[in-house]
Amino acid sequence: HNYLYQHEDGVELSPGLTWSNNPKYQPVDANILTWSEAAAIENYYWSKIKDKHIPENERQLMSLRLIVFSLGFYTGMRRQEIIGARLGDITTIGRQIFNVREHDDRSIKSCNGIRQLPIWIYLPKVIMDLVNRYIDYRKNNGAELDDYLFDISQNIKSTQINQRLVYNHIHWSMKVITGNNKPINFLVSPGFII
């Protein structure tokens, strides 16, 4: 949505917007996160990441939350696509692509779900830099390309992202910023409801 909005004279998505001129399609009935709300969430996470009074491991967790939030907001990736991502799913040479694909323990919703996302276009540079620092951190700590991208366990090869520590906090921050306790969709994809 961000790319289309900026480069193709797109319209801002909002509740009640129809996706087509075709009368058979109903208006969007969803709680959609706005750009200003997303910016407020990003600013909150950046303030915590930069706060030297917060322990290093908690600041790293805030960085992870910001990356996960940004992938959902800017690319429309679904929760399970992010959770199941592998280190090798992101190209690290040249223009970076996030390959959304099936793995042994992750299925894709439909054949259209298998795709390549040009994250070098979708993500702001500052977020892309954060992603690259995180990838370097994982590789420098022994992670291999088949290991989960988002693994915050002590054993670098064992588990996926901890949903309670990451998604519950993102959900909490969205509720605080929006003042809405209902599930909120990211602008780009209704698949990333938290």
Side-chain angles (χ1 to χ4, degrees), residues 120-133:
W120 63 278
I121 293 174
Y122 293 156
L123 297 178
K125 183 179 181 333
V126 66
I127 300 293
M128 201 64 243
D129 291 343
L130 189 63
V131 168
N132 286 326
R133 284 195 306 272

Side-chain angles (χ1 to χ4, degrees), residues 10-123:
V11 296
E12 182 71 33
L13 296 179
S14 61
L17 178 71
T18 55
W19 295 91
S20 167
N21 290 329
N22 188 331
K24 77 176 186 173
Y25 293 109
Q26 298 297 312
V28 175
D29 183 21
N31 297 312
I32 298 174
L33 195 64
T34 66
W35 288 103
S36 60
E37 292 166 341
I41 292 167
E42 287 180 13
N43 289 337
Y44 165 76
Y45 283 121
W46 280 119
S47 72
K48 298 300 181 189
I49 292 166
K50 294 175 182 176
D51 186 345
K52 299 297 183 189
H53 296 98
I54 296 176
E56 178 64 26
N57 63 335
E58 183 64 22
R59 288 187 288 139
Q60 289 176 346
L61 185 56
M62 291 294 183
S63 295
L64 180 65
R65 290 168 176 156
L66 178 57
I67 292 170
V68 169
F69 171 79
S70 298
L71 285 171
F73 182 75
Y74 290 107
T75 71
M77 289 180 70
R78 291 175 172 83
R79 180 192 292 220
Q80 293 303 332
E81 293 171 341
I82 295 172
I83 290 171
R86 305 301 174 118
L87 198 58
D89 288 345
I90 297 180
T91 60
T92 55
I93 299 173
R95 295 179 170 169
Q96 289 183 277
I97 304 292
F98 199 117
N99 294 297
V100 180
R101 56 189 168 172
E102 288 190 316
H103 296 294
D104 291 340
D105 57 350
R106 178 181 80 184
S107 61
I108 301 296
K109 189 174 176 180
S110 71
C111 62
N112 293 329
I114 299 171
R115 60 203 185 281
Q116 294 183 327
L117 300 171
I119 56 176
W120 63 278
I121 293 174
Y122 293 156
L123 297 178

